[in-house]
Amino acid sequence: MNKFKKFFYSQKAAPYVFVLPFIISFLLFWIYPLCSTITMSFQDITPTGTEWVGMKNFTKLLKDGIFHTAIKNSFQYMIMTLVLLIPFPMLWAVLMDSRLVKAKGFWKACLYVPALTSVVISGTLFRLMFSEYPTGQMNVITTALGLGTFKWLKVKATGLGALLLVACWRWTGVNMLYFISGLKAIDTAMYEAADIDGATAWQKFRYVTIPLLKPTTVYVLTISVYAGLAMFMESYMLWAGPDSPNNIGLTIVGYLYKRGITKNQLGYGSAVGIVLLVIALAINIVQLIVNGTLGKEED
């Protein structure tokens, strides 16, 4: 017993003891599922048994028009969320960090509260808001303006707009807090030097804030790329299931769910998941190389 106590209290063993729970969790909940998914993607899994089919699932994906639609929808959603959920939260963060805003804690809380709301609840609320019936909030507004009612979730443009509105409502506050944390790390002497040189507010934002916020921006960009491609629950709740008119709300993960869970084609669904992982990794690796985070030589 004394040997175990001495081992766990030793300075050499302590780091390994503290990191062990993370390593175990990483192996059980990431490495093992990943290896299982890769194996399953080369198999045809049915309730009666498993058959090794090699690259058949992947070659089938190349000819699957619905899968191509899911990829297109996911890319459109990802690009639009990057356009909306990086510059605007950055501007909100700069505004919140300035002296122009009073009761900053209150406004930060208001913007962050949506992220704490269950996606099931928020998705249901937005589905009711964009209902095609006259009682839907959006139709109430358009009717009051004399524009009549619309079938918002049955048209590609308005359906995507509803998804983006849900994303902005839920994640603007989160990204804003990331950028506020980045702003706190910027030395105020940089702004004082800019003031001495006669820089305007825009010049300070352009030449001081944006460059020094690069680490935070890269982080937000990286997680936003994955979040955009892996979006599922928002679409699922907005259309009350994985199906939507003409697949306007179908995403890669939604297609994985339909084939793997609904149709019990786990092998094919695993192949969809592997393709999603490869796409997300490829995009993030490219953007990290482009912005200089990867391949950067240390001084």
Side-chain angles (χ1 to χ4, degrees):
M1 189 68 179
N2 291 331
K3 291 182 179 180
F4 282 105
K5 186 175 181 180
K6 185 178 180 180
F7 172 77
F8 283 112
Y9 278 86
S10 67
Q11 293 184 353
K12 293 183 178 180
Y16 299 99
V17 172
F18 282 111
V19 81
L20 187 61
F22 168 76
I23 294 176
I24 294 175
S25 300
F26 181 73
L27 292 174
L28 288 178
F29 300 109
W30 204 92
I31 296 298
Y32 174 71
L34 176 61
C35 294
S36 298
T37 303
I38 292 174
T39 302
M40 291 166 61
S41 67
F42 295 102
Q43 297 175 335
D44 182 17
I45 302 173
T46 63
T48 58
T50 300
E51 178 185 358
W52 186 269
V53 294
M55 297 295 295
K56 181 180 177 181
N57 289 327
F58 293 97
T59 55
K60 186 178 178 181
L61 279 177
L62 295 176
K63 304 175 183 178
D64 192 337
I66 299 178
F67 177 65
H68 299 162
T69 300
I71 290 181
K72 181 181 177 181
N73 292 341
S74 294
F75 266 86
Q76 288 178 339
Y77 177 82
M78 178 198 72
I79 292 171
M80 292 303 297
T81 52
L82 294 181
V83 171
L84 295 172
L85 290 176
I86 292 182
F88 291 107
M90 182 187 294
L91 293 174
W92 276 109
V94 172
L95 184 62
M96 288 293 175
D97 197 51
S98 69
R99 298 178 181 177
L100 299 175
V101 178
K102 305 297 181 182
K104 296 180 181 179
F106 172 76
W107 295 114
K108 289 178 185 177
C110 288
L111 289 169
Y112 187 75
V113 163
L116 303 178
T117 306
S118 168
V119 66
V120 175
I121 296 174
S122 58
T124 302
L125 290 175
F126 275 87
R127 184 172 74 247
L128 295 174
M129 183 187 301
F130 285 93
S131 171
E132 63 183 76
Y133 298 107
T135 53
Q137 285 89 339
M138 294 301 296
N139 277 336
V140 170
I141 294 173
T142 55
T143 301
L145 295 174
L147 301 176
T149 60
F150 297 89
K151 297 181 179 181
W152 302 94
L153 299 181
K154 291 185 177 180
V155 180
K156 174 69 175 180
T158 53
L160 177 60
L163 277 175
L164 293 173
L165 188 60
V166 175
C168 291
W169 181 74
R170 295 194 73 223
W171 301 117
T172 296
V174 176
N175 288 354
M176 181 195 70
L177 291 182
Y178 287 140
F179 284 117
I180 288 177
S181 299
L183 289 172
K184 297 299 182 183
I186 298 177
D187 191 348
T188 55
M190 302 295 292
Y191 293 105
E192 294 172 358
D195 287 330
I196 293 174
D197 290 337
T200 62
W202 165 250
Q203 289 174 329
K204 287 188 287 185
F205 177 72
R206 171 66 179 84
Y207 296 106
V208 178
T209 303
I210 292 180
L212 295 180
L213 270 181
K214 182 180 177 180
T216 305
T217 305
V218 170
Y219 173 75
V220 174
L221 176 61
T222 302
I223 62 175
S224 296
V225 167
Y226 173 76
L229 290 174
M231 186 272 292
F232 169 62
M233 280 302 297
E234 289 86 347
S235 175
Y236 187 93
M237 294 308 304
L238 205 58
W239 277 276
D243 298 313
S244 56
N246 297 319
N247 294 318
I248 60 175
L250 183 66
T251 64
I252 301 177
V253 180
Y255 190 58
L256 186 158
Y257 177 86
K258 286 182 65 175
R259 299 303 294 262
I261 305 300
T262 305
K263 296 186 178 181
N264 201 24
Q265 298 175 352
L266 292 177
Y268 196 70
S270 297
V272 175
I274 294 301
V275 171
L276 170 61
L277 176 63
V278 171
I279 292 174
L281 283 176
I283 293 175
N284 273 321
I285 289 173
V286 169
Q287 67 92 5
L288 289 173
I289 292 174
V290 170
N291 62 47
T293 302
L294 285 182
K296 183 179 179 180
E297 294 183 1
E298 296 292 337
D299 295 332

